[in-house]
Amino acid sequence: MVVTGDTETLAHLLRIRRSIRDFSAREVSAELVDAILDDARWAPSWSNTQPYKIAVASGDLKERLKAQLLARYDAATKLQRGGVLGKLAAFLTRSKALPDGDFDTRFEYPQELTPRRRATGFGLYSVLGIAREDSAARNRQMRRNFEFFGAPTVLFVFVRQELGAYSVLDAGIFLQSLMLAAQARGLGTCAEGALGTWAGPVREAFDVPSAYKLLCGLALGWPSDHVVNAYNPGRADVAEMLIPVKRG
Ligand SMILES: Cc1cc2nc3c(=O)[nH]c(=O)nc-3n(C[C@H](O)[C@H](O)[C@H](O)COP(=O)(O)O)c2cc1C
């Protein structure tokens, strides 16, 4: 049965959800996290395989993960400055700065998508008052990823790889369902691919089955009134997305 008003509610939720990159200190109760997961579990998936698992951290555990990830991020930043020799030394000493994620989080962007990526990045820095050439400030903002942007709760999304692109697709549908379930309750989220960079600390903290691979994280909490949360990078028009019929 279609209830009048649902269309508006969904359209509204889809449009007002934004990535939240600053959170208030207010905790998210375990009951609320459960309620969001309980909604999101109705996401569709290939043959209903639901090929994902979620690890939830808050309180002391979240703080511990934050400290461990920040230590890795800081070491990696230092490594970048150390040039080729620094990287070689890190490789030989098996430095914790080296990414140990299950998926590569750094890739060459196709030329066609690069303008969108750059516009999104520069738009974010502009809202934050960060000049393009201010690499120190950009680095500080990047570092915020590993503080989960001050969120009281962080989720880690794992997928089985055997279904190839389709399990990742399933996890993506689940993630959006989760974000909308949170949005409907006034909570804010930020999907974080950055949290796929280092899997070690997360695997040490949780009993993750070895077949499940760390895909990304998700910061979850109550949005603060920081200006960064007003950032809306917009979207391409539908016309730009549509593939035209071949002529002739
Ligand atoms: C899979 C995925 C990974 C993302 N990773 C990050 C991230 O590591 N750090 C970050 O600040 N934003 C991250 N984002 C947020 C995107 O930048 C954001 O969704 C996009 O710019 C559109 O903005 P909006 O979510 O506010 O509409 C990620 C989003 C997705 C879906």
Side-chain angles (χ1 to χ4, degrees):
M1 187 184 71
V2 176
V3 180
T4 315
D6 276 6
T7 319
E8 285 82 356
T9 306
L10 179 62
H12 180 65
L13 281 177
L14 285 165
R15 280 169 176 74
I16 64 165
R17 186 213 54 78
R18 291 275 75 74
S19 291
I20 295 303
R21 297 187 179 87
D22 196 77
F23 293 86
S24 82
R26 185 179 158 197
E27 297 290 328
V28 180
S29 70
E31 291 74 25
L32 205 43
V33 175
D34 281 351
I36 294 163
L37 290 169
D38 193 35
D39 282 351
R41 78 193 165 96
W42 291 100
S45 62
W46 184 288
S47 284
N48 201 22
T49 47
Q50 304 154 70
Y52 31 73
K53 286 194 182 290
I54 309 296
V56 183
S58 57
D60 290 346
L61 177 57
K62 181 216 59 173
E63 287 302 316
R64 199 170 82 214
L65 285 167
K66 181 169 93 176
Q68 291 174 340
L69 290 169
L70 280 176
R72 279 162 177 74
Y73 178 74
D74 290 340
T77 310
K78 226 167 122 186
L79 208 67
Q80 289 293 332
R81 294 196 202 108
V84 179
L85 283 181
K87 282 180 193 142
L88 184 65
F91 183 72
L92 293 174
T93 59
R94 295 186 182 189
S95 162
K96 285 189 169 178
L98 296 173
D100 64 352
D102 296 318
F103 295 96
D104 208 346
T105 55
R106 290 169 307 174
F107 26 69
E108 284 286 316
Y109 284 77
Q111 211 180 4
E112 178 205 342
L113 303 182
T114 300
R116 285 186 191 160
R117 180 210 175 196
R118 287 171 66 88
T120 303
F122 288 137
L124 181 67
Y125 296 139
S126 158
V127 165
L128 287 164
I130 297 172
R132 285 184 187 207
E133 60 282 0
D134 191 349
S135 57
R138 288 214 316 257
N139 186 36
R140 279 196 298 277
Q141 178 58 25
M142 186 60 198
R143 197 175 185 273
R144 293 275 292 149
N145 275 283
F146 301 96
E147 295 174 341
F148 322 129
F149 301 111
T153 300
V154 60
L155 279 65
F156 297 92
V157 181
F158 292 82
V159 283
R160 285 202 72 126
Q161 260 181 318
E162 291 89 336
L163 283 76
Y166 295 99
S167 49
V168 178
L169 174 62
D170 291 343
I173 298 170
F174 177 82
L175 199 64
Q176 168 75 332
S177 306
L178 195 70
M179 291 193 280
L180 292 179
Q183 181 68 53
R185 291 169 171 84
L187 282 156
T189 56
C190 186
E192 288 195 51
L195 296 183
T197 313
W198 291 285
V202 191
R203 285 195 182 275
E204 269 168 40
F206 294 94
D207 209 357
V208 186
S210 59
Y212 281 83
K213 307 298 176 197
L214 178 61
L215 183 60
C216 66
L218 181 85
L220 175 73
W222 304 99
S224 77
D225 54 12
H226 193 289
V227 66
V228 73
N229 292 336
Y231 177 50
N232 182 353
R235 292 297 186 273
D237 295 334
V238 172
E240 208 178 313
M241 184 193 333
L242 289 177
I243 300 173
V245 178
K246 274 186 186 169
R247 285 166 187 263

